[in-house]
Amino acid sequence: MSANRGAHRHRVLTSIGKGLLGVGAAGAGSLAYAGLYEVNAFRLRRVTVPLLPEGARPIRILHVSDLHMTPYARARQRWLSGLGALEPDLVINTGDNLAHQESVPVVLDSLGHLLDRPGVYVWGANDYYPPKFRNPLRYLLGPSRSKRLPERMLPWQDLGRGFKEAGWIDLTHTRAALEIKDVRIGFRGTDDAHIDQDRYADVAGPIDRDEIDLAIGVTHAPYRRVLDAMTIDGHDLIIAGHTHGGQVCVPIYGALVTNCDLDTRRAKGLSQHSADSRTAWLHVSAGVGTSPYAPIRFACPPEATLLTLTSRGENAMG
Ligand SMILES: [Fe+2]
């Protein structure tokens, strides 16, 4: 760790610590655990979702989200690099990749062999805008809504070029289709609803079951308006990130916030979403990283998810 980086991390943790001192020494101990251990205690969540036509072979999808990558996040980079060995049939990246001007090559290197697999992606606000310091305790008070700079200052377009050169498909307000293991998968995506950039209407319309066996909606922030619209159109599965799983959670109880209008019970993992008598599976990733200004996690380890899609009629797990 460079001296500058170490000093920065020290300042950030100190400022968070001052906040937690208000709740006593137990808070300081928890901070040390959250900032020094859990933030790098990566895990691979595994879920099984019964969505495929009868007789179809299982399809393995790796969902990665919220890398918030900096050049200094070496443990995060090493763990991501190891995910290539999973050799998934498809990678879905739900945005918030960047937290530093020089992170594009780091993200591409860390994804490594995953870029050799088919992939789709959408962007999050933290692909466009650099992280800003704010009191991390405010995160617990409700969705963050700050005035954003009009100019997108992070090199998200360079990252998009890297993704596209690898053959990954940008789903921002776009429909796309891939055939994987003889299953015709249709995708629709939106830009980030957290900064009101979502325009689902651009891709809306009932799923055409003559052309699509499996419909997957992809979005960064799981705001209910996006989930409702995708569900009503007949999507089978919706994939999102953004929540960080609540990031600072209460053991056993779970998340206190989702940083959007989704209820806290669905802050991470596999659940379902219903609207207008239709129901879709929903998978929300707790994410791999955190903002460099809030480098803590508690009762909510960083994660990626391997979703195994199986035939309808089998049991869901996860
Ligand atoms: Fe994020």
Side-chain angles (χ1 to χ4, degrees):
M1 185 184 292
S2 71
N4 277 350
R5 174 64 182 162
H8 167 74
R9 187 177 176 83
H10 179 76
R11 270 198 311 276
V12 171
L13 289 174
T14 301
S15 69
I16 296 168
K18 282 176 181 167
L20 286 178
L21 278 178
V23 293
S30 299
L31 173 70
Y33 167 85
L36 299 174
Y37 173 74
E38 186 167 320
V39 75
N40 286 325
F42 304 101
R43 56 173 254 183
L44 182 69
R45 181 188 292 274
R46 292 174 187 267
V47 303
T48 301
V49 201
L51 279 177
L52 300 181
E54 202 75 22
R57 289 169 288 166
I59 293 176
R60 296 161 73 245
I61 299 176
L62 182 68
H63 178 195
V64 294
S65 195
D66 296 82
L67 307 185
H68 293 270
M69 189 61 78
T70 69
Y72 319 109
R74 304 257 190 252
R76 206 177 304 166
Q77 293 158 26
R78 273 195 304 276
W79 187 76
L80 268 175
S81 298
L83 295 177
L86 294 169
E87 300 193 343
D89 299 305
L90 173 71
V91 181
I92 299 181
N93 179 324
T94 44
D96 271 11
N97 294 278
L98 305 176
H100 192 282
Q101 291 290 344
E102 289 162 25
S103 288
V104 170
V106 181
V107 169
L108 295 173
D109 284 353
S110 301
L111 290 172
H113 291 305
L114 293 176
L115 292 171
D116 300 333
R117 318 301 297 177
V120 297
Y121 62 95
V122 290
W123 301 114
N126 290 284
D127 293 297
Y128 304 138
Y129 304 107
K132 284 193 295 194
F133 179 80
R134 57 172 69 95
N135 182 345
L137 296 180
R138 275 183 50 200
Y139 179 80
L140 298 175
L141 300 178
S144 57
R145 287 279 185 179
S146 58
K147 272 193 177 161
R148 294 284 181 179
L149 296 172
E151 193 185 346
R152 297 181 171 188
M153 295 176 67
L154 283 174
W156 62 284
Q157 288 159 309
D158 295 342
L159 184 60
R161 261 190 292 280
F163 286 167
K164 282 179 184 156
E165 279 169 17
W168 282 18
I169 301 169
D170 183 351
L171 292 177
T172 307
H173 304 139
T174 299
R175 294 185 184 191
L178 284 174
E179 188 165 321
I180 296 178
K181 292 183 171 173
D182 301 322
V183 175
R184 299 166 302 170
I185 307 179
F187 300 93
R188 296 178 193 179
T190 76
D191 205 345
D192 187 355
H194 190 59
I195 49 171
D196 296 324
Q197 295 300 297
D198 55 308
R199 299 196 314 268
Y200 180 74
D202 287 7
V203 291
I207 303 294
D208 182 351
R209 291 291 168 183
D210 290 335
E211 297 199 351
I212 298 294
D213 300 312
L214 173 70
I216 301 180
V218 183
T219 195
H220 174 68
Y223 277 82
R224 291 198 305 254
R225 63 179 182 269
V226 179
L227 304 184
D228 285 353
M230 288 178 166
T231 301
I232 290 166
D233 274 351
H235 283 85
D236 302 292
L237 174 65
I238 303 170
I239 300 282
H242 174 73
T243 64
H244 296 194
Q247 192 166 327
V248 178
C249 296
V250 177
I252 302 172
Y253 177 82
L256 297 170
V257 292
T258 61
N259 202 18
C260 63
D261 64 3
L262 189 69
D263 53 277
T264 52
R265 286 176 297 108
R266 297 186 289 170
K268 65 180 175 186
L270 187 67
S271 63
Q272 290 186 309
H273 186 79
S274 296
D276 274 12
S277 75
R278 284 184 182 260
T279 298
W281 290 99
L282 170 66
H283 183 265
V284 178
S285 173
V288 179
T290 65
S291 163
Y293 290 111
I296 55 170
R297 279 183 179 266
F298 194 79
C300 187
E303 66 176 18
T305 302
L306 189 66
L307 298 103
T308 300
L309 308 189
T310 57
S311 298
R312 292 188 184 101
E314 296 188 19
N315 291 330
M317 283 188 287

